[in-house]
Amino acid sequence: MKRILIVTALCLAFATTAWTADLRQAMESAETALAQRQATDKASRTRISGDRESLTREIRRLAGDIKRLKAQAIDETKRGETLKTRITDLTERRNKLDKEVGRIVAIVRTAAKNLRDLSLASPFSAFTPERLAHLETLADGTQFPGLEDLTSLFAYFTDEIARSSEVAIRTASVTGRDGISRELPILSAGPFMTLAVKEKGTEPLLYDAATLSFKELPAPPGRIFRWRLNRYVQGKTDTLALDLSAGAALDHLRRTPSFVERIQNGGPLVWPIVLIGLAGLFIGLERTLFLKKVHDNTDNTMGKVNELAGYGQWEECDLIVKEQKTTPVYNVLRKGLQARGERRQVLETILQEAILKELPRLERFLPFLGMLGAVAPLLGLLGTVTGMIDTFEVIHIAGTGDPRMMSGGISTALITTMLGLAVAIPIMLLHTVLNRRVEHIIGDMEEKAVALTNIVHRETIGCCAQGCTKQARA
């Protein structure tokens, strides 16, 4: 036990000695480490203090930057709002300008389309076909119109206006009736009349918009119309016929049938109407000349006979009456001079009888002329009925699908009616005028007969008075 204790004590002493040595060593190590740690801490504090000052300065700088950036941010925000407002204004202005530009472009294209259509219908395009290609490009929208295009568009309008107000001679291609194109000088009076100047004369032309060229009429116009055109081209007149319908009037002039063609298309009843017109013309001409001769003889002869009778020159009166034997005036005067020795009532009766005897001769053919004037419109009406019957027969067979099938009968009806009235109206007027002329001649003859009666009996009364005076003196 003791041994164990001793060993234990020894071990404890040894251990205490070793622990004390280790403790010292440990303390030394700790002091060394502490010194190092303190040096490190001091260096760290020194570094940290320096870093704190740097960080403080950095924080102050960053705070200043933050403050400056906040102020800058406020400014930028205000500027951003200002820019947003300006962007909004610019956007609105851009939209407005886009609308205005779109409107201008639409106006330009519309104007280009209108001018293109006008140019297609204008005969001046045959002289300047290049403008149609440019107008087509502007009209279809494939090209954005620029300032040069607007200038060209204005120039086209100005050129069209200038050409429309002038009379000029230019050269262009003309397609003849034989289908051959020839270069000919063309006289254009604005857009209203285009004439081909040839060696044989002047002829109107039709403008073909499909080929931008001119072509002759399928049939030449009438001679009178061409004669007027030639006089204008030759400078003999300032009057020129114009076609304001862009060729429609010339085409209608070409299609208008002549008087002979109308008669041929009028049907069989046209010929009796024509014969009535010719008969009325001959009768009217013959009666007019005859009544004019009678009227002249009435004024001259009866006036001269009455004058000679007033002087008592009866032999000269007889000679004048014997010169003509078939004229009604001389017949009346002859009867009056032969009965100048009769009483007044007898002389008046003889003269009135002579005038009534000559009345049928003066009115010869006038009743027949009136009958012709009444028959002509009746024949025209008969032709109208006949034409309408033919028309309804066509409608009954073929229906009303094609109006051209009905036009033949209607045309026949209208032609006969027109011709009947055209013949009847002048015949009736001529009949009325001739009747008035006969009445006027009869009135003149009665007036001159009364004057002759007065002259004859004045001479007789004078002779009787002279005889009575001589007897009283004796």
Side-chain angles (χ1 to χ4, degrees), residues 122-241:
S122 174
F124 303 127
S125 296
F127 308 112
T128 57
E130 64 276 359
R131 68 178 181 179
L132 286 175
H134 190 195
L135 291 173
E136 187 68 30
T137 303
L138 294 177
D140 59 10
T142 57
Q143 178 180 345
F144 187 83
L147 185 59
E148 295 181 356
D149 297 323
L150 295 178
T151 305
S152 300
L153 189 63
F154 179 76
Y156 295 152
F157 273 108
T158 305
D159 181 66
E160 185 70 20
I161 294 173
R163 291 175 182 265
S164 299
S165 60
E166 67 179 6
V167 178
I169 296 179
R170 303 178 181 88
T171 303
S173 176
V174 177
T175 303
R177 298 183 185 91
D178 54 1
I180 300 176
S181 297
R182 302 177 180 86
E183 294 291 329
L184 295 176
I186 295 177
L187 186 145
S188 59
F192 307 113
M193 180 60 74
T194 306
L195 306 175
V197 182
K198 302 179 181 180
E199 295 180 357
K200 298 181 180 180
T202 305
E203 186 174 341
L205 300 176
L206 293 176
Y207 170 66
D208 188 3
T211 59
L212 300 181
S213 61
F214 299 97
K215 60 181 181 180
E216 296 179 349
L217 295 174
R223 295 181 178 179
I224 297 177
F225 185 69
R226 284 183 293 174
W227 175 74
R228 292 177 179 176
L229 296 179
N230 290 330
R231 282 177 56 84
Y232 177 80
V233 174
Q234 295 170 2
K236 297 180 180 180
T237 180
D238 295 333
T239 304
L240 175 64

Side-chain angles (χ1 to χ4, degrees), residues 298-335:
T298 301
D299 290 338
N300 297 329
T301 304
M302 297 191 77
K304 187 176 182 180
V305 169
N306 290 340
E307 182 181 358
L308 293 175
Y311 293 105
Q313 300 176 1
W314 300 107
E315 295 181 357
E316 287 81 356
C317 293
D318 294 334
L319 291 176
I320 294 175
V321 170
K322 290 180 181 180
E323 292 178 358
Q324 294 288 339
K325 297 182 179 181
T326 58
T327 306
V329 177
Y330 289 93
N331 294 335
V332 172
L333 289 175
R334 189 177 299 110
K335 294 290 184 181

Side-chain angles (χ1 to χ4, degrees), residues 379-413:
L379 288 176
L381 181 60
L382 180 60
T384 301
V385 175
T386 305
M388 295 306 296
I389 291 174
D390 295 338
T391 301
F392 284 111
E393 288 180 353
V394 171
I395 295 175
H396 178 71
I397 296 173
T400 59
D402 190 0
R404 292 178 295 179
M405 298 181 64
M406 301 182 293
S407 62
I410 297 175
S411 176
T412 301

Side-chain angles (χ1 to χ4, degrees), residues 240-470:
L240 175 64
L242 299 179
D243 182 10
L244 304 180
S245 59
L250 289 176
D251 188 64
H252 178 71
L253 180 65
R254 176 184 64 84
R255 296 176 183 272
T256 301
S258 62
F259 181 74
V260 177
E261 293 175 347
R262 288 186 183 277
I263 292 177
Q264 293 175 353
N265 296 331
L269 291 176
V270 168
W271 299 109
I273 298 176
V274 173
L275 293 177
I276 288 175
L278 294 176
L281 177 63
F282 288 129
I283 292 174
L285 183 61
E286 188 272 335
R287 288 289 89 189
T288 300
L289 295 177
F290 177 77
L291 294 178
K292 183 178 183 303
K293 181 179 179 181
V294 171
H295 182 266
D296 294 340
N297 289 335
T298 301
D299 290 338
N300 297 329
T301 304
M302 297 191 77
K304 187 176 182 180
V305 169
N306 290 340
E307 182 181 358
L308 293 175
Y311 293 105
Q313 300 176 1
W314 300 107
E315 295 181 357
E316 287 81 356
C317 293
D318 294 334
L319 291 176
I320 294 175
V321 170
K322 290 180 181 180
E323 292 178 358
Q324 294 288 339
K325 297 182 179 181
T326 58
T327 306
V329 177
Y330 289 93
N331 294 335
V332 172
L333 289 175
R334 189 177 299 110
K335 294 290 184 181
L337 292 175
Q338 291 176 356
R340 64 177 177 267
E342 302 290 338
R343 292 179 301 170
R344 182 182 182 88
Q345 293 180 351
V346 175
L347 180 60
E348 290 179 351
T349 303
I350 292 174
L351 289 173
Q352 188 66 28
E353 181 183 358
I355 292 174
L356 292 176
K357 187 177 180 180
E358 298 298 327
L359 183 59
R361 187 178 179 185
L362 294 174
E363 293 180 346
R364 184 186 302 173
F365 300 127
L366 291 184
F368 182 69
L369 185 64
M371 182 193 67
L372 293 180
V375 170
L378 294 178
L379 288 176
L381 181 60
L382 180 60
T384 301
V385 175
T386 305
M388 295 306 296
I389 291 174
D390 295 338
T391 301
F392 284 111
E393 288 180 353
V394 171
I395 295 175
H396 178 71
I397 296 173
T400 59
D402 190 0
R404 292 178 295 179
M405 298 181 64
M406 301 182 293
S407 62
I410 297 175
S411 176
T412 301
L414 296 178
I415 288 174
T416 53
T417 303
M418 179 271 298
L419 191 59
L421 294 175
V423 170
I425 291 173
I427 287 179
M428 296 301 294
L429 291 175
L430 186 60
H431 178 263
T432 302
V433 171
L434 293 177
N435 276 330
R436 294 294 299 172
R437 179 61 64 88
V438 170
E439 294 176 359
H440 182 67
I441 291 174
I442 295 298
D444 285 347
M445 292 176 67
E446 291 178 348
E447 179 185 357
K448 297 296 190 299
V450 171
L452 179 61
T453 302
N454 293 331
I455 292 172
V456 169
H457 281 276
R458 187 171 60 246
E459 291 292 330
T460 304
I461 292 171
C463 292
C464 293
Q466 291 177 0
C468 294
T469 303
K470 291 179 179 179

